[in-house]
Amino acid sequence: MKIKKLLILNRIHDIDQIKSIIKENEIEIYSLNFSVHSVLNENKIPHVMSEELLAEDDLNKIFDKTVELYDWYNNIEKNKITASEGVNVCALMDTAEFHDLVFNHLYEFLMIKKIITKQVTTNIIANSSIIEIIRLFDNNLSLEPLDNDLTDDKLFFDNIQIKFNLGKTPITFSLSRNFYNKSKIVYENIICAMNDLWFKGSSRNIVLLLEFNPAQFENLFLEFKKKNLDIVVFNRRRSVVWNRKSVSILKKYNVKVLNFEKIASKKGKKWLNTDAGKVINEIHDMFTNKIFYEIFSFDNVSFWLPIKKKLERAISDRIIEYMSLIHVTKDLFAHSNVKCILSLNVVGETEKTALALKPPQTVSIMLEHAFANYLPEFSRYNILSMYSLFPEKIAVWGPIQKKYLMEQCNIDEERIIECGSPKHDLFKQDYKFETKTPKTILLCPRPIISNTGHKDSILYEKYYDLLKRLINFLNKNNHFEVLVKMHPAQIPHNQLIIKKIQELAPEVKIYQSKPIQELIKISDIVVNISPEGYDPSTIMLETMLLRKPIMNIILDEKIFDFEFQKQNAVISLRSSEDFKPIIKKILYDPIFQKQILKNEQIFINKYLMNFGNASSFLAQYIQNL
């Protein structure tokens, strides 16, 4: 008689192996994510989607625990913390990457625990990483690992995506972090030397910009130049000279680039390698501290062991990189008068290092960089905008955000600068109703992001069903031309969306890096897909600024009482609603369209300060410091 077993899968390397297991056993199968679910579905293999076992309260607990662990390295004795030049190297890991690591482990951990609790069996077949988790809370089960189970211990930023378009075809490939950094150094040495862009020191006060894209902030550089401020840009992630437009802007406004490699080489590779070896040994010793079993605990069970391996490897592999970053930043502050640091976040490695090493007299300002909208009912997620993590001044886009920060985050009014958005100063366009044919539809599919846990297989299926209905409707109408603009971030779901659109409509142009304003300007309507209603895309604001109508289709069916919603500035629909008549009404009813655009302008006047003059305001503020 066959014994009933459980087969739990978080990845599938060999579908034939799975089929043979099913033939030989009385078995119940659980998929832990959409990629496994889709493979099983394609092969018509019945299974349970484990994400459905998690309630909203479970996701909130996982999210809160992940956030609680952001400063995990501060929970041990100070003399045991590995430091270089007084900076804790463990603290430099990108917080978004850490969040992704911990959250996804806890997400799987809780699903597996619920499966084991739900089912009465002692026999389980699973991937090796799942077996490792099961052993954390139950050692009495018979566990059978899958053959040829390849493990993957890479973290989010171990590989860097390179994205561009070859004609209408979107091209994406990945480079290892190490190879990307080496290639970036060679490329920047050529471009910056040819165009005299390297920073060679200054006796005057300078403003240091961290990880800025010049192409998005040309107006800000213009205003800095008008006020005779010396500007230095320090980019480690994306090259500051990544395209012709960026190089042109830097030259035009005399903006200089920090030469990371040249400053780092002063200490010499031999010194770095020797010192790094000592720090790696210290890290290894630190990671054996048993206190971490207690710190990394959830539901009275420690999940430290599966986290430990990845975390220690990541930090150890990046030690020379981190120590070079510390040395370069310290050298800059020692030999230059940095009046102000301007950053777009506080969670990246560059930003964390600068904040840790800056002199007390240097003012740091975090510039709001996205369309932030929060309400009390989901205030736990505002930490994703980093407000509570930033200790100094925050430059917000307007009074709605200022009020939220003061009332919900208890941030002192003196720390808040009502600045407006320098990035959007040039997003001005007069309204003109177009009667042209065909009408241009810009589709902006925001990818599913895993940082809140709303990523179950049902949501993915709803996404693809909506894409299919949308594209079929747009393709059948000869009066429509469809363009697609992908989200620029390095998010795995982007590639699945591209693949699905190419299957549905191979002729549709899909853009990855083209500036969004260029696409909005030539469009008659923008259709945005939001996986979660709480997280409106910046594209929505940018569409309003350029005086075009925006439709926002929400997959989780949750429409919140944001100010733009109260003002009817955005046409928001649940994915279950019929979008076809609304799209036609927006496109062909000039009275309806004018009312929408009027509502947009009323909202913008409430939400955004200094529209068109935010760069001037911020430059003046910094000059007055």
Side-chain angles (χ1 to χ4, degrees):
M1 180 180 176
K2 292 182 179 179
I3 301 171
K4 184 174 182 181
K5 294 184 178 181
L6 299 185
L7 175 59
I8 306 175
L9 298 166
N10 61 0
R11 56 184 175 269
I12 295 177
H13 294 294
D14 185 349
I15 188 63
D16 290 333
Q17 179 192 16
I18 303 302
K19 288 177 179 177
S20 67
I21 291 171
I22 295 168
K23 283 181 182 178
E24 295 169 8
N25 298 274
E26 183 185 340
I27 202 155
E28 184 158 15
I29 304 170
Y30 286 83
S31 66
L32 297 187
N33 53 55
F34 176 70
S35 84
V36 171
H37 162 71
S38 59
V39 172
L40 294 175
N41 250 7
E42 286 170 14
N43 287 274
K44 297 181 172 52
I45 298 174
H47 60 281
V48 178
M49 292 180 287
S50 305
E51 308 104 303
E52 300 301 296
L53 301 175
L54 299 181
E56 186 69 21
D57 187 53
D58 292 320
L59 299 180
N60 290 340
K61 287 177 182 176
I62 294 170
F63 183 88
D64 293 344
K65 181 63 182 182
T66 302
V67 172
E68 176 192 317
L69 290 169
Y70 279 4
D71 61 351
W72 62 277
Y73 44 80
N74 283 336
N75 287 288
I76 58 176
E77 297 172 33
K78 295 293 181 185
N79 63 349
K80 291 184 179 179
I81 293 177
T82 303
S84 178
E85 305 285 356
V87 178
N88 184 343
V89 294
C90 294
L92 297 186
M93 182 179 182
D94 189 290
T95 305
E97 185 177 37
F98 178 82
H99 184 109
D100 183 75
L101 168 66
V102 175
F103 190 96
N104 287 330
H105 268 82
L106 284 175
Y107 190 83
E108 278 199 353
F109 171 91
L110 196 54
M111 279 192 294
I112 293 165
K113 188 175 182 182
K114 284 180 178 284
I115 293 167
I116 303 303
T117 305
K118 177 175 177 281
Q119 291 291 345
V120 181
T121 183
T122 58
N123 297 280
I124 297 173
I125 306 170
N127 305 118
S128 56
S129 59
I130 294 173
I131 287 176
E132 189 176 29
I133 292 172
I134 294 172
R135 284 179 176 145
L136 296 177
F137 53 82
D138 196 330
N139 269 320
N140 299 315
L141 297 172
S142 173
L143 303 174
E144 182 182 334
L146 286 168
D147 294 334
N148 303 317
D149 180 26
L150 305 175
T151 57
D152 180 13
D153 64 348
K154 290 187 181 300
L155 293 185
F156 196 70
F157 291 127
D158 280 342
N159 289 310
I160 308 298
Q161 281 187 353
I162 307 298
K163 297 184 286 187
F164 58 94
N165 272 73
L166 194 60
K168 70 177 184 180
T169 306
I171 305 295
T172 301
F173 61 91
S174 294
L175 298 176
S176 72
R177 182 184 177 111
N178 188 44
F179 183 78
Y180 171 81
N181 286 336
K182 287 179 178 177
S183 302
K184 178 174 171 285
I185 288 168
V186 173
Y187 173 75
E188 288 184 340
N189 275 333
I190 295 169
I191 300 299
C192 290
M194 285 175 58
N195 293 280
D196 190 27
L197 292 175
W198 288 130
F199 175 61
K200 297 168 184 174
S202 173
S203 58
R204 305 197 314 164
N205 286 337
I206 67 170
V207 179
L208 179 65
L209 273 57
L210 303 177
E211 304 290 353
F212 269 64
N213 177 359
Q216 292 183 336
F217 290 93
E218 181 173 3
N219 221 42
L220 184 60
F221 292 143
L222 167 65
E223 294 299 332
F224 282 148
K225 186 177 182 181
K226 283 182 183 178
K227 291 174 174 54
N228 207 26
L229 293 168
D230 284 1
I231 307 302
V232 177
V233 183
F234 183 17
N235 282 25
R236 286 181 55 258
R237 295 193 288 275
R238 184 182 194 176
S239 176
V240 71
V241 291
W242 74 285
N243 65 9
R244 251 187 239 173
K245 184 176 181 181
S246 293
V247 173
S248 173
I249 290 170
L250 295 175
K251 289 173 68 177
K252 184 176 180 179
Y253 302 111
N254 197 32
V255 178
K256 297 301 180 184
V257 179
L258 194 69
N259 192 331
F260 181 88
E261 183 69 9
K262 184 176 180 180
I263 297 175
S265 66
K266 288 181 182 177
K267 283 276 188 180
K269 290 184 180 178
K270 185 177 179 182
W271 175 87
L272 277 174
N273 286 325
T274 303
D275 212 44
K278 294 176 184 177
V279 175
I280 288 171
N281 289 332
E282 290 172 10
I283 287 172
H284 179 72
D285 291 341
M286 184 192 77
F287 271 71
T288 62
N289 195 319
K290 292 185 179 179
I291 194 172
F292 289 125
Y293 286 91
E294 179 184 341
I295 293 167
F296 286 82
S297 291
F298 185 77
D299 272 3
N300 299 315
V301 178
S302 176
F303 61 98
W304 171 239
L305 281 178
I307 291 285
K308 173 183 178 292
K309 182 169 60 177
K310 285 189 176 182
L311 199 55
E312 183 177 357
R313 182 197 60 76
I315 295 171
S316 298
D317 285 354
R318 300 173 190 176
I319 280 300
I320 291 180
E321 192 179 327
Y322 286 174
M323 290 176 67
S324 297
L325 177 57
I326 290 167
H327 166 62
V328 168
T329 308
K330 187 174 182 181
D331 184 90
L332 174 68
F333 289 136
H335 297 100
S336 303
N337 300 315
V338 179
K339 179 178 184 177
C340 176
I341 300 171
L342 197 59
S343 66
L344 300 171
N345 73 64
V346 67
V347 299
E349 295 151 340
T350 313
E351 294 84 355
K352 284 182 174 184
T353 308
L355 286 173
L357 289 169
K358 77 174 190 65
Q361 68 272 18
T362 300
V363 177
S364 181
I365 300 172
M366 183 173 74
L367 180 62
E368 184 181 325
H369 72 285
F371 186 33
N373 291 266
Y374 291 102
L375 296 171
E377 55 259 48
F378 51 85
S379 58
R380 64 169 25 92
Y381 298 142
N382 68 39
I383 196 161
L384 298 174
S385 292
M386 302 154 280
Y387 300 130
S388 57
L389 300 175
F390 192 74
E392 297 194 42
K393 293 186 180 292
I394 302 171
V396 299
W397 290 0
I400 292 174
Q401 274 311 97
K402 179 180 178 180
K403 182 181 178 184
Y404 180 85
L405 293 184
M406 292 173 62
E407 293 180 358
Q408 294 295 322
C409 303
N410 297 315
I411 293 176
D412 193 290
E413 185 175 7
E414 291 184 1
R415 285 179 51 207
I416 303 172
I417 307 165
E418 276 188 279
C419 169
S421 175
K423 183 168 76 170
H424 295 111
D425 276 344
L426 301 179
F427 274 65
K428 279 200 168 185
Q429 181 167 296
D430 293 330
Y431 167 68
K432 182 181 178 184
F433 181 77
E434 300 275 1
T435 57
K436 69 179 178 69
T437 302
K439 297 286 189 182
T440 302
I441 318 290
L442 178 60
L443 180 60
C444 298
R446 188 174 176 84
I448 294 172
I449 303 171
S450 64
N451 55 12
T452 64
H454 301 110
K455 55 172 184 173
D456 60 74
S457 297
I458 295 294
L459 187 63
Y460 280 90
E461 288 186 337
K462 284 181 71 174
Y463 204 121
Y464 299 141
D465 175 68
L466 175 62
L467 273 180
K468 184 177 180 180
R469 288 187 285 123
L470 257 174
I471 290 175
N472 283 345
F473 164 67
L474 297 174
N475 270 353
K476 283 178 183 177
N477 195 318
N478 295 328
H479 301 297
F480 296 155
E481 178 188 7
V482 183
L483 306 176
V484 177
K485 176 65 172 76
M486 300 304 301
H487 192 284
Q490 182 170 312
I491 300 169
H493 188 216
N494 270 336
Q495 296 312 115
L496 295 177
I497 294 172
I498 291 172
K499 182 180 177 183
K500 192 67 178 177
I501 293 173
Q502 287 175 327
E503 288 173 3
L504 293 166
E507 73 285 353
V508 167
K509 295 177 183 176
I510 302 174
Y511 296 95
Q512 298 197 100
S513 56
K514 192 177 183 71
I516 184 63
Q517 61 267 38
E518 294 181 22
L519 294 171
I520 294 173
K521 284 178 180 178
I522 62 172
S523 301
D524 295 288
I525 182 176
V526 175
V527 178
N528 183 69
I529 298 177
S530 289
E532 299 178 79
Y534 92 90
D535 188 23
S537 170
T538 305
I539 284 171
M540 292 164 59
L541 178 68
E542 291 168 338
T543 302
M544 288 187 268
L545 294 178
L546 289 170
R547 307 205 66 181
K548 295 295 177 79
I550 174 91
M551 173 185 282
N552 185 37
I553 305 178
I554 303 166
L555 285 167
D556 69 0
E557 311 286 322
K558 297 175 183 177
I559 298 178
F560 291 98
D561 203 19
F562 294 124
E563 190 62 35
F564 62 78
Q565 205 62 55
K566 293 179 188 176
Q567 199 59 55
N568 293 318
V570 173
I571 304 298
S572 294
L573 293 177
R574 296 172 179 87
S575 62
S576 57
E577 297 180 78
D578 188 0
F579 51 78
K580 296 189 285 294
I582 307 297
I583 290 177
K584 290 178 179 178
K585 188 172 179 63
I586 293 171
L587 289 174
Y588 298 113
D589 184 339
I591 296 173
F592 183 61
Q593 188 178 117
K594 284 178 183 178
Q595 185 59 54
I596 293 171
L597 300 181
K598 181 181 176 182
N599 295 342
E600 289 180 355
Q601 295 312 301
I602 294 171
F603 165 72
I604 287 167
N605 291 336
K606 286 184 177 182
Y607 185 86
L608 195 65
M609 293 284 291
N610 303 315
F611 180 35
N613 299 302
S615 296
S616 176
F617 181 93
L618 182 60
Q620 185 64 58
Y621 183 92
I622 291 172
Q623 186 181 49
N624 293 341
L625 288 173

